[in-house]
Amino acid sequence: MAIRLGDIAPDFKAITTEGEINFHEWLGNSWGILFSHPADFTPVCTTELGTVSKLQNEFKNRNVKTIALSVDSLESHHNWVKDINETQNTVVNFPIIADPIFEVSKLYDMIHPNASDKFTVRSVFIIGADKKVKLTLTYPASTGRNFDEILRVIDSLQLTANYSVATPANWKNGEDVVIAPSIKDEEIAAKFPKGYSRIKPYLRLTPQPNL
Ligand code: BEZ
């Protein structure tokens, strides 16, 4: 069955480039991003893993651990990492799961047989510190993902988990946010001391509260 928002991210054991892991134990108290790519030694995937490696400080600042997956072998992953480091001018600094018998990819529905029954699509699962799935994304093999967008989503998810706000279209960290419809006008002054603007009864903006 498909994994839905709010579900507990399924736990699993796996072999990775950084040793054997138990997923929930590996996550610990961190948020997590589990993302699949179709295959090792392919161009788009090479740029994606290089990009995630270079963004590692951004993920760490947000208490997020990243872990990649493909159905290639551990030996293949280790060999490919050398190419990623060389061509992307980085040192891959997060684990890559080897899933040659499709255990994790089937558990997370990363194989879409009408796209390919041999390779995983580009899935992304953002998992909160409570182990619940906060966001899912699915991209085809031909389109590399925008990891700046994934950082932006994490900023929104972590902000909205702690304050009664939502983030509007194209919002970026530091911009005004929307006050949740569940908050009554008379409650706003206490909850949002930086003030607010009331454009419509249902559209009320306030400065980002955690800055
Ligand atoms: C790539 O990563 O470049 C790729 C992988 C599978 C199919 C097409 C492109």
Side-chain angles (χ1 to χ4, degrees):
M1 202 176 87
I3 295 172
R4 295 178 176 167
L5 302 191
D7 291 355
I8 295 287
D11 198 13
F12 56 83
K13 281 197 176 113
I15 307 288
T16 83
T17 48
E18 297 188 359
E20 197 170 325
I21 63 154
N22 173 305
F23 186 52
H24 281 191
E25 217 171 84
W26 176 82
L27 282 169
N29 294 321
S30 300
W31 286 57
I33 298 180
L34 169 64
F35 66 106
S36 56
H37 57 270
D40 296 359
F41 299 101
T42 52
V44 176
C45 301
T46 299
T47 62
E48 286 193 324
L49 270 70
T51 299
V52 172
S53 180
K54 285 189 257 192
L55 288 173
Q56 211 50 222
N57 280 342
E58 295 292 337
F59 289 115
K60 281 202 179 113
N61 289 341
R62 292 163 173 83
N63 188 31
V64 179
K65 289 183 173 178
T66 63
I67 187 163
L69 172 150
S70 82
V71 299
D72 291 301
S73 69
L74 187 63
E75 188 187 1
S76 166
H77 285 353
H78 279 305
N79 287 328
W80 181 41
V81 162
K82 292 179 206 154
D83 280 5
I84 300 170
N85 291 347
E86 178 196 326
T87 62
Q88 306 303 301
N89 194 23
T90 189
V91 176
V92 171
N93 45 17
F94 58 91
I96 309 172
I97 296 169
D99 193 35
I101 56 168
F102 297 68
E103 280 174 304
V104 180
S105 31
K106 282 192 178 154
L107 185 64
Y108 275 78
D109 202 22
M110 293 162 165
I111 304 281
H112 294 203
N114 290 326
S116 167
D117 56 3
K118 295 189 177 56
F119 305 117
T120 45
V121 291
R122 297 187 197 280
S123 300
V124 181
F125 294 87
I126 299 183
I127 297 156
D130 57 4
K131 310 280 186 297
K132 289 187 180 167
V133 175
K134 306 297 181 188
L135 174 134
T136 65
L137 279 176
T138 308
Y139 276 43
S142 51
T143 306
R145 286 157 286 198
N146 183 333
F147 290 93
D148 290 333
E149 165 62 4
I150 289 171
L151 285 169
R152 189 193 74 88
V153 170
I154 288 168
D155 286 339
S156 171
L157 289 168
Q158 294 185 338
L159 175 70
T160 59
N162 292 315
Y163 296 89
S164 300
V165 297
T167 58
N170 292 346
W171 172 86
K172 288 195 212 68
N173 200 21
E175 294 178 354
D176 286 357
V177 297
V178 167
I179 297 172
S182 57
I183 304 297
K184 298 191 178 86
D185 279 350
E186 53 272 27
E187 297 169 332
I188 290 179
K191 280 189 180 284
F192 301 102
K194 293 178 183 170
Y196 76 107
S197 57
R198 188 175 188 273
I199 295 155
K200 291 280 179 191
Y202 58 84
L203 177 55
R204 300 158 306 170
L205 297 175
T206 189
Q208 186 173 325
N210 63 341
L211 295 180

